């Protein structure tokens, strides 16, 4: 069983995927975390030759998608927390807009999914990474609702960003994700549209659960 979910920043993909993964024994793969890790690599090891650096990065996903580490230059770095920081969000578009980096990461994502029962989320999963997935969903919510969710998430990490700034960041990221030349975020024709504005996490999980068991 392969479940593919795409959607804009803050649409609730990762929270709902974790619930579904547990309930239906699927391996959860957060592809945004992989792009974020490359952004981290660019900050710590430099932006030059980033394609080569991405190729030399090994991703270690543990605890069913709750923990991500990278093996780079013979060292292992646990990036679970660091990749959620605002400076990474600001930097990630640089890696995500590079065609060759995308090719490398798409291959690694497909290898993770090969022969496994997975739930994978990102921006190009239904369109590029797993176009033949059994279930394809486009998850979204209004920018204001998504900003509210991100604001709370950052608040819990003691990152003091203003709501207005978070909203601005969400809109900026939408614009970048949707207008990107390489694999832009779009709702593929055969993906089910799920607008989560005003829905609780449990309600969204129930809707996806119904698709899985039907
Ligand atoms: O999902 P998340 O917000 O963690 O993703 C961070 C960024 O990584 C996105 O804004 C997008 O630019 C990029 N991304 C991507 N393709 C994916 C997943 C994420 O371009 N499949």
């Amino acid at each position: 069983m392969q479940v593919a979910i795409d959607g804009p920043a803050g649409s609730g993909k990762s929270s709902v995927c974790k619930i579904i993964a547990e309930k239906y024994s699927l391996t959860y793969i957060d592809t945004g975390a992989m792009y974020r890790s490359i952004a981290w690599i660019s900050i710590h090891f430099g932006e030059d030759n980033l394609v080569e650096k991405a190729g030399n990065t090994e991703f270690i996903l543990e605890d069913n998608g709750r923990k991500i580490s990278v093996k780079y230059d013979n060292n292992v770095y646990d990036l679970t927390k660091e990749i959620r920081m605002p400076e990474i969000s600001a930097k990630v578009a640089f890696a995500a807009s590079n065609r060759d980096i995308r090719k490398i990461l798409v291959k690694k994502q497909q290898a993770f999914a090969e022969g496994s029962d997975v739930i994978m989320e990102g921006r190009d999963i239904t369109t590029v990474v797993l176009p033949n997935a059994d279930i394809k969903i486009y998850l979204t919510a209004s920018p204001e609702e998504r900003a509210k969710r991100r604001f709370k998430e950052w608040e819990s990490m003691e990152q003091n960003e203003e709501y207005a700034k978070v909203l601005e960041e969400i809109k900026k990221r939408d614009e970048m994700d949707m207008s990107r030349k390489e694999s832009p975020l779009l709702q593929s024709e055969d993906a089910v549209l799920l607008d989560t504005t005003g829905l609780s996490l449990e309600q969204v999980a129930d809707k996806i659960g119904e698709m899985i068991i039907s």
Side-chain angles (χ1 to χ4, degrees), residues 2-197:
Q2 290 187 336
V3 182
I5 303 188
D6 284 324
S11 53
K13 299 185 298 289
S14 60
S15 310
V16 81
C17 281
K18 283 176 194 159
I19 294 176
I20 298 290
E22 203 134 298
K23 194 161 174 189
Y24 298 96
S25 304
L26 304 172
T27 299
Y28 168 48
I29 300 159
D30 172 0
T31 62
M34 296 170 75
Y35 286 92
R36 287 171 179 272
S37 299
I38 299 302
W40 183 89
I41 294 273
S42 79
I43 291 171
H44 288 265
F45 299 102
E47 286 178 2
D48 57 308
N49 303 325
L50 197 55
V51 176
E52 201 187 319
K53 285 173 179 155
N56 291 334
T57 302
E58 189 189 322
F59 294 91
I60 306 157
L61 309 179
E62 290 168 299
D63 202 8
N64 205 7
R66 287 167 197 272
K67 183 175 170 197
I68 181 166
S69 307
V70 293
K71 188 170 178 197
Y72 183 78
D73 208 13
N74 283 324
N75 290 309
V76 175
Y77 304 92
D78 180 353
L79 301 184
T80 312
K81 288 208 177 97
E82 282 184 60
I83 57 168
R84 300 294 153 202
M85 296 301 169
E87 59 269 27
I88 295 285
S89 302
K91 199 84 190 172
V92 74
F94 178 74
S97 60
N98 183 302
R99 192 173 124 190
D100 296 325
I101 291 178
R102 297 200 73 87
K103 269 195 198 156
I104 289 167
L105 294 199
V106 166
K107 268 205 187 137
K108 290 180 192 275
Q109 291 153 8
Q110 287 170 335
F112 277 130
E114 177 93 30
S116 307
D117 290 322
V118 295
I119 182 162
M120 188 183 286
E121 52 105 341
R123 304 294 190 287
D124 58 348
I125 313 306
T126 61
T127 52
V128 178
V129 184
L130 301 176
N132 300 318
D134 303 283
I135 295 173
K136 294 166 63 162
I137 298 168
Y138 187 85
L139 204 68
T140 192
S142 70
E144 290 73 18
E145 171 121 358
R146 290 187 280 121
K148 231 185 284 169
R149 292 174 189 167
R150 266 292 136 90
F151 177 72
K152 280 192 188 151
E153 205 178 290
W154 283 355
E155 211 177 29
S156 70
M157 292 166 68
E158 292 173 3
Q159 291 291 308
N160 298 318
E161 287 280 358
E162 283 170 36
Y163 169 78
K165 261 187 99 178
V166 181
L167 179 59
E168 193 187 309
E169 163 74 16
I170 286 270
K171 287 182 175 168
K172 211 166 79 191
R173 212 124 68 83
D174 281 2
E175 166 64 22
M176 284 194 293
D177 281 340
M178 291 171 188
S179 65
R180 183 172 50 227
K181 214 171 113 216
E182 299 300 329
S183 314
L185 171 65
L186 51 88
Q187 188 195 338
S188 76
E189 266 175 30
D190 54 355
V192 176
L193 173 68
L194 191 47
D195 187 336
T196 69
T197 309

